Every structure is written in C-alpha cells, then in structure tokens.
Amino acid sequence: MMILTKKMIEIRNILSKVGQSSALTLPSIVVIGSQSSGKSSVLEAIVGHEFLPKGSNMVTRRPIELTLVNTPDTKSEYGEFPDLGLKTTDFTSIQRTLTDLNLAVPDTECVSDDPIRLSIYSPNVPDLSLIDLPGYIQVVGQNQPLQLKQKITELCDKYIQPPNVILAISAADVDLANSTALRASRRVDPRGERTIGVITKMDLVDPVRGAGILSDKQYPLRLGYVGVVTRAPSVQALFKKGTGGNLTTVIAKNENSFFSAHPLEFGEGSGSNVGTLNLRKKLMHVLEQTMSASLQSTHDAIRQELEEATYEFKVQYNDRPLSAESYLAESLDAFKHSFKQFTTEFGRPQMQEILKTELDQRVLDLLALRYWNKPITDLSPPPPEADTLADLPKSDPDNLYWHRQLDASTSALTKLGVGRMATSAVAGAVQSHVERLIAQSTFANHPFAREAITNAASNILNERFYSTSDQVENCVKPYKFEIDIEDREWSNGREHVSGVLKTELQACQGALASLENVVGGKRKLKEVMTFVDKCRKGDIPIEGEGRMGAGGFSAALLEKGREAVFLRDRADIINMRLLAVKSRQCKDLKNKYYCPEVFLDAAASKLAQTAVLFLNVELLSEFYYNFPRELDMRLGRHLSDDDIERFAREDPKIKRHLEVIRRKEMLELVLEKMESLRQFEGRTEKPHRGAGENK
Ligand code: GDP
C-alpha cells in the first residue's frame, strides 16, 4: 500500500497552513502539454469524473493544484476548495467553480501564477498530488497579449523544477519532435530522469506506429511512455450498467478492447505501457519513490525552519506562551478589573455632581428668561413696557410680580422632565466612562471587541432607561407642588450659585473678548456698541435699519455690535446679581423672592438628590451587576473559535506572536510525523530500485 504518499500529502496540507516556503514543498506531478493534446482528458480519466473547465478560450489560466485522497472506507466522492471553504459532491459544480476561478483572470493577462487548490476525496482515486497547468499554445489569438506564449512557458518552467515529476502529454498524431511538452521537459530534465511521457489519442494512429512511439529511442525517458485512449465516452456508455458512472472504468474498458485487439503491437492482455490504469499505477509508484527520495531533504528543511521559528519565539517573545483564547481571557479579566475599580469611583456623589451641573444650566436659562430679560433683538427703541435693568428685583421683594416670577420659575424647573434628563445624563456619563475604559484597555486595538462592549453597555442602559425615567419622575412629583428649603440647603445654595454666576460671568467676558478680536479691536467694538446703545435709547432714528451702512457700519458689524451690547448687559446684570446674592438680604431664606438664584439653586439640589437616590437603585446598581455578566456572554462563552482567533489577530503584535507559536507547533507536528515515516521507511526498505525505474 502506498502509505508514504498519503502521509506526505497530509504533511503537505499541514505545511500549506504554515505558509509554504519553497524549501518545504513536497514533490508533485506536474502535467504539461499543448492545447488539445488531451491533457484534461488524461486527468479526468485518472480522477474518474469530468471536472475540468472546457472550452476553446484558454480555460486553464491558473495552475490547479489537485490533491487526490484515497478514502477506501467511504462510498461518497467529493471535492473541496480549501481556500474557498467549499465542499461539494457535485462534479459539475466543481467544473463550474474552476471555470469561474479561471475566467476571473482577465483576458489581458490570460495567465496567473496564483494556484487554485482543489482536493478530491474518493474511494476510486489513488493518493496523488498533481498540478495542472495552462496548455502551451502555438499561436497567440486575438485579444490575447502578444507575450502570452512566453508567459505560459515561464509559468510551466516554474513548476517543472525538481523534485517535481513531469507528466509530458503529447498526442500520437503529432510528431514527437514537435511535442512542446517534451521539449520543455528536456530543458529542465535533459537526461529524462523525472519525466513520464504520455501519448494520447493512440486510436488515431496505426498501432504499429503507436507502438513505435511508446518505445521511442529518440527521446528516451527512464520512466518511459504510456499510451492511452482517453476520449470522453458517450453519456450512454458512462451510465451503462456495471460502470457506476465512473469515467475511469469506462475508459479502461474501452482502452482494453482497443489495445488487446493488437496483441502483437501492445502485448498480450495489454502491456504495462498502455492504458489509463497502468498510467495511474505508474504515477503512484513514481510519486511514492520521489517522495521517499526527498524525505531526507524535506526533513532537513523542516528542521531548519523549526529551528528558526524556535529561535524567533525565544528572542522576540521570551518563550511566552500565548493562545487566542488566553489572550482574550486575560484581556477580558483586565477589563473587568478596571471596570470594578470604576464602580468604586463612580457612585452617588458623582451622579449628584453630573445632575447638578445639568440643572445649573437649566436654572441659568430660567433666570435669563424671567429675570435678566432685556430684549435687544433689533435697533429699534425699547418698548416702554419691556424689562430694563431698573425693573430688576433690587427693591420691594413683596411685590406680587416677583412672587409670581419665582413661583413660575420653580414650577418650570420641577416640570422640565427631570426623570428623562437625569437618566439620560447619568446613562451618557456611564457610557462615556465605559468608552474611556475601553480606550485604556487592550481592547482599544480591537474594533470587534470595542463594539461588543459598547453594545453591551448601551443595551443594559437602554433597557432600564424608560422605567428609570418614570421612577425618577414619580419621585420628584411632590416638588411640583411645593418645595421646602431648609436653612442649611439655603446657605449651600447661596454659596454654590455664586460659583455658577461667576463662571457664567467669565463666559460672557470671554465671549466679549473674542468679539473684540473678530471685529478688529476694542475701539472698533466700542464705537459700534455706542451706536447700538444710541439706537436703543431712541437717540438715533431708525432710518437705515436693515440696510448696509447704518451709522456707517456694515450689517455684519452691527450684528456683532448688538451681540456685544447683549453680552455687556448680561455681564452687568450678573455682576449686580452676584452682589445681591452676596448681600446680607440673601443670607436669609425669608428673602427668597429677593434672591431667586439662591432659591432655584437649592431647589435644583433637592431635585438632583432625590433623582440620584433612585438612579442609584434603578440604573447604576443594575448596570454594575449586569455589565460584567453581559461581557462574559458577548466576549466569552458565545464566541466561536474562529471569532476568538479573528479577535486576537486584530492586534498585529498578537497576530505575529500567535503565528510564530502556531508555526512552531505545526512544524513540530510535521517533524514528528516525518520522523515516524522515516522509521517506517527504514523498517520496510526493500532492495532499492531507485525512482528512475522503468516498470
Ligand atoms: P487539452 O486541451 O489538452 O486539455 O485536451 P482535451 O482533453 O480537451 O482534448 C482535446 C480533444 O481531443 C477533445 O476533443 C477530446 O475529445 C480529444 N481527445 C482526447 N483524448 C483523445 C483520445 O484518446 N482519442 C481521441 N480520438 N480523441 C481524444
């Protein structure tokens, strides 16, 4: 039994995953021949199925690396394209795929040296490794590149190098002297030591002449010639009882009747140098011998590769073991650890601060709307009823107007939808903290994991969003009717709002300063502001309003002027209100109508505190509990091996590290297999007749 070839083919498959270097290629049988010499017919007769692309338009454009694997214990036959992840028992579909893959090479290039790998598993095929190449052409056709002949020759030359065996196909009806295949093999194998000659179409020549070709003396080959008749039989013949639809059987029968009809020329009962079955045997035998001969050199090459991989592993990676799973597990642990740390740092006080900052803005908006409102939307004089600085509550806090203003502001504050606002502010903060944790983790370089983690967080937060919002809204409901502020709350509010007002004041001043820059200086801005002021007071008639050049200023400049006047007035008011807040009157909660800023601030704090209590229970604790579990789900148990591998390889450094380890492991495995093969060979070694034997 041909065990060596089978084992070597297995080894070759492992090697192809390591990333093949030419030193590691194991011998194959390379099939060359002119177009129409019958090359495809021979290969199909060996395989027992029609599966190769057919047609006149250069249908073989890429090398086809064909691995035949004998599976004696099965009935089914199937083909596999390992690079496409495609398996099929339908040989027509294999033919179609091969045609598509070949025709994908554009007409302008015509050939490509990128091989198509195809394995065929069947109880009816021998263990063989064959490479089909584009047929040599005589003339370059239309739309084909002029250098096509040259390109095909170069491609074939690449493959017919040692240790490969050359299967040179020539048709019987063409003079051997004109056989391109034999001429090519001569160039690389001048002594004819590793070439098998196949003479096709033996039925087209006179048997005497046919037999003469097979014992050719002009182009002697040590492995000899085999004559075949491999014309595809009719469909009826193929499906005749007893053939099982197998092409090899039908062709062999056909050949048998042809050759045995001429016993004088081809020997009784068909000699060993005719017929597809004999060809198959010869191929197996020769390949086995060649494999055996190259066992030592391949073994040495693999050992050297292994030494290099081991050295790289030591020097670059300190012999540190790593697998995609362990990398993921470690990364996940580290991330969960950092998350745990975060949970101790982000709790009620932090939420309180976030909510308060959010509510501070709303308080400022309300104050601006109800208290600081000085409309200067155009250049027209102010309407007599509009609020002015003089109308602000600096005196007479008992005035009913100010009571209503504060009540309306408080009501607006409590009814602004605190539930939604608070939930979304906290959820947003949590989500951005998670993003920060990702960015600081090893997951930063892994788009897939980033997305999984981000989605895990947003899923949990989204799920809780509406119920949390509702809960919070319910809890602040009593404040919509009444807010009781205590002395301590008042004094905290007073202190806090001073800070908020100061910040706002600085923002106004900052905006004013940048306006100065925009218009080209303090003086320029002052001029246009003075003009705007005059207009507002009615000192200047509104003529020219809206047109270019009012007061000699451009419309754009006037716009900036209005903005600046607004900011200046806003700053004046805030300044004034800061003084008021700091004044004695505002020390006392009784003067709340005099100090709306303090009251609204204290109210906002109460809202925030209440909201935080519920956010903590409804949102944060839930999140802290569920998030690590969700991470385990998404990045742990549920990932397939392929996903984990893809994940790890997203990081180029990890990818390289994994590759070195994998390469090392594969080479170790291969070497182990080779060593046991060598021992096996040593035990079974027969008197050696050499690979060049002509049976
Ligand atoms: P390729 O271009 O070298 O792959 O050649 P094919 O296998 O496609 O064969 C070319 C032509 O020769 C086809 O029409 C085949 O039917 C025919 N052919 C192949 N082998 C034989 C044979 O042994 N005898 C005869 N008479 N025709 C054959």
Side-chain angles (χ1 to χ4, degrees):
M1 213 163 68
M2 303 281 175
I3 292 192
L4 184 67
T5 304
K6 193 174 201 71
K7 294 278 171 209
M8 292 291 261
I9 285 175
E10 262 175 46
I11 288 172
R12 202 190 52 172
N13 283 347
I14 304 174
L15 284 177
S16 75
K17 288 179 199 142
V18 181
Q20 230 163 355
S21 81
S22 58
L24 298 186
T25 22
L26 293 171
S28 283
I29 298 171
V30 182
V31 191
I32 52 169
S34 309
Q35 259 188 338
S36 298
S37 58
K39 196 157 59 70
S40 313
S41 304
V42 169
L43 280 170
E44 291 181 339
I46 291 171
V47 171
H49 286 278
E50 280 197 50
F51 70 100
L52 287 168
K54 298 277 152 60
S56 54
N57 184 25
M58 273 282 306
V59 279
T60 307
R61 298 181 175 199
R62 293 168 63 179
I64 302 174
E65 292 188 6
L66 180 65
T67 304
L68 305 185
V69 183
N70 180 251
T71 51
D73 303 327
T74 58
K75 276 207 173 105
S76 74
E77 300 180 276
Y78 66 94
E80 181 184 16
F81 290 92
D83 301 324
L84 308 183
L86 195 79
K87 263 188 196 175
T88 174
T89 53
D90 176 5
F91 282 79
T92 321
S93 141
I94 295 178
Q95 191 174 41
R96 219 170 21 241
T97 306
L98 284 176
T99 308
D100 291 347
L101 288 172
N102 273 298
L103 292 185
V105 180
D107 281 348
T108 47
E109 287 176 30
C110 245
V111 290
S112 147
D113 58 4
D114 178 24
I116 300 170
R117 294 197 300 138
L118 166 65
S119 302
I120 290 174
Y121 298 82
S122 158
N124 306 322
V125 296
D127 288 308
L128 279 180
S129 151
L130 297 153
I131 299 171
D132 185 24
L133 291 167
Y136 292 110
I137 54 166
Q138 304 308 323
V139 258
V140 177
Q142 255 185 352
N143 305 328
Q144 288 175 338
L146 282 175
Q147 66 281 42
L148 180 58
K149 256 172 104 163
Q150 174 77 11
K151 278 177 93 174
I152 294 173
T153 307
E154 280 169 9
L155 175 60
C156 293
D157 281 357
K158 211 172 111 180
Y159 276 92
I160 56 182
Q161 299 305 322
N164 286 340
V165 174
I166 304 167
L167 195 66
I169 314 271
S170 320
D173 60 344
V174 176
D175 191 351
L176 273 203
N178 291 331
S179 161
T180 325
L182 283 174
R183 246 183 287 143
S185 103
R186 272 258 139 140
R187 271 188 280 119
V188 292
D189 177 28
R191 299 201 307 172
E193 285 178 324
R194 53 185 182 91
T195 303
I196 301 173
V198 174
I199 308 298
T200 58
K201 312 191 188 182
M202 288 292 283
D203 55 324
L204 294 188
V205 293
D206 175 77
V208 177
R209 176 156 168 235
I213 302 175
L214 297 184
S215 54
D216 184 78
K217 295 282 177 292
Q218 208 176 348
Y219 295 96
L221 297 176
R222 280 181 60 191
L223 299 172
Y225 289 90
V226 181
V228 294
V229 180
T230 51
R231 186 187 38 204
S234 64
V235 178
Q236 292 98 311
L238 197 53
F239 288 100
K240 238 166 77 185
K241 259 196 161 163
T243 64
N246 187 286
L247 192 63
T248 317
T249 319
V250 177
I251 285 178
K253 254 188 161 164
N254 187 33
E255 282 176 324
N256 194 36
S257 51
F258 175 79
F259 290 118
S260 46
H262 307 286
L264 276 181
E265 291 81 0
F266 301 118
E268 281 296 337
S270 305
S272 64
N273 63 345
V274 288
T276 303
L277 293 181
N278 279 327
L279 175 62
R280 269 174 42 155
K281 268 192 220 141
K282 191 188 259 299
L283 294 182
M284 287 157 72
H285 179 73
V286 169
L287 189 60
E288 181 95 355
Q289 295 287 335
T290 313
M291 289 275 192
S292 169
S294 69
L295 202 56
Q296 183 61 47
S297 62
T298 312
H299 179 272
D300 294 347
I302 291 171
R303 183 190 292 269
Q304 193 177 341
E305 289 276 326
L306 177 61
E307 269 164 23
E308 269 163 35
T310 310
Y311 182 73
E312 186 177 357
F313 183 52
K314 189 177 192 66
V315 173
Q316 304 264 357
Y317 303 100
N318 245 332
D319 285 336
R320 192 161 57 84
L322 179 77
S323 69
E325 296 83 41
S326 69
Y327 174 66
L328 175 62
E330 276 166 30
S331 309
L332 190 57
D333 274 354
F335 185 78
K336 286 203 293 196
H337 186 75
S338 76
F339 177 70
K340 185 114 196 98
Q341 179 63 28
F342 163 70
T343 62
T344 64
E345 290 160 3
F346 188 85
R348 296 211 313 230
Q350 288 71 25
M351 285 197 283
Q352 169 80 19
E353 196 179 324
I354 290 169
L355 294 197
K356 192 59 203 327
T357 310
E358 194 79 13
L359 284 168
D360 285 345
Q361 276 314 308
R362 310 297 171 104
V363 167
L364 283 178
D365 290 348
L366 284 170
L367 288 168
L369 187 74
R370 298 205 169 261
Y371 290 91
W372 310 339
N373 189 15
K374 281 188 65 185
I376 43 165
T377 47
D378 53 37
L379 288 175
S380 46
E385 72 278 10
D387 292 344
T388 66
L389 211 53
D391 293 325
L392 280 162
K394 65 181 177 188
S395 61
D396 194 10
D398 293 330
N399 186 333
L400 210 57
Y401 173 74
W402 298 119
H403 284 218
R404 267 195 245 111
Q405 286 293 79
L406 186 61
D407 292 344
S409 306
T410 311
S411 165
L413 182 65
T414 53
K415 290 177 186 163
L416 61 78
V418 175
R420 282 270 174 107
M421 184 218 83
T423 313
S424 93
V426 168
V430 169
Q431 186 91 49
S432 60
H433 277 295
V434 168
E435 293 299 326
R436 181 180 53 82
L437 292 179
I438 297 176
Q440 291 166 352
S441 75
T442 37
F443 292 129
N445 296 326
H446 296 281
F448 165 75
R450 278 192 92 116
E451 199 182 318
I453 300 173
T454 305
N455 289 346
S458 58
N459 255 26
I460 303 173
L461 293 169
N462 287 345
E463 237 170 53
R464 314 279 325 152
F465 189 86
Y466 289 106
S467 66
T468 308
S469 303
D470 287 352
Q471 288 276 6
V472 174
E473 197 63 47
N474 277 341
C475 299
V476 300
K477 201 168 176 183
Y479 298 133
K480 293 177 187 172
F481 302 99
E482 192 175 10
I483 291 196
D484 268 338
I485 303 286
E486 290 169 16
D487 283 340
R488 191 182 43 83
E489 291 168 334
W490 180 268
S491 58
N492 284 348
R494 181 166 173 242
E495 192 174 324
H496 183 260
V497 85
S498 299
V500 175
L501 289 175
K502 267 184 209 148
T503 313
E504 188 66 7
L505 180 61
Q506 278 161 6
C508 281
Q509 286 162 342
L512 208 50
S514 64
L515 271 183
E516 276 174 14
N517 283 341
V518 172
V519 303
K522 213 176 183 127
R523 241 185 66 200
K524 186 83 170 263
L525 189 64
K526 199 141 191 108
E527 275 170 24
V528 64
M529 283 168 76
T530 310
F531 177 74
V532 173
D533 278 336
K534 279 185 181 160
C535 290
R536 286 174 62 223
K537 283 192 198 139
D539 292 353
I540 295 178
I542 37 174
E543 280 166 38
E545 148 81 290
R547 274 192 277 130
M548 272 290 288
F553 298 107
S554 74
L557 197 52
L558 284 174
E559 184 55 41
K560 298 285 173 226
R562 265 178 260 163
E563 234 177 273
V565 165
F566 171 83
L567 287 167
R568 179 205 60 201
D569 290 351
R570 174 58 48 95
D572 284 348
I573 296 168
I574 295 174
N575 246 329
M576 190 189 79
R577 294 308 303 157
L578 256 172
L579 286 176
V581 167
K582 282 184 191 153
S583 72
R584 255 188 316 120
Q585 279 93 329
C586 278
K587 247 186 167 167
D588 197 337
L589 155 67
K590 275 187 251 122
N591 290 333
K592 68 174 183 179
Y593 294 111
Y594 185 87
C595 316
E597 294 86 355
V598 180
F599 184 81
L600 290 173
D601 187 281
S605 292
K606 270 184 112 69
L607 288 171
Q609 270 160 13
T610 311
V612 161
L613 287 180
F614 286 86
L615 283 166
N616 196 40
V617 180
E618 295 293 323
L619 192 68
L620 205 61
S621 307
E622 285 285 325
F623 184 78
Y624 286 172
Y625 178 81
N626 285 316
F627 186 55
R629 284 162 182 77
E630 188 75 23
L631 289 181
D632 280 338
M633 290 271 286
R634 290 179 186 238
L635 293 176
R637 279 167 273 148
H638 284 251
L639 286 190
S640 67
D641 289 351
D642 282 353
D643 284 340
I644 296 176
E645 193 72 27
R646 198 165 339 115
F647 156 77
R649 283 167 179 272
E650 278 175 347
D651 185 329
K653 273 208 255 125
I654 299 297
K655 182 175 169 205
R656 184 70 204 135
H657 191 165
L658 287 174
E659 268 165 9
V660 169
I661 290 180
R662 186 150 172 267
R663 190 174 166 78
K664 199 171 139 291
E665 284 171 357
M666 294 268 194
L667 289 167
E668 275 162 358
L669 175 70
V670 163
L671 208 63
E672 204 176 290
K673 279 178 180 279
M674 291 211 79
E675 242 137 50
S676 65
L677 255 189
R678 276 191 345 156
Q679 280 172 14
F680 177 80
E681 276 283 288
R683 276 206 307 275
T684 59
E685 202 138 33
K686 303 173 274 291
H688 204 68
R689 288 191 290 175
E693 163 197 38
N694 187 353
K695 274 185 84 181

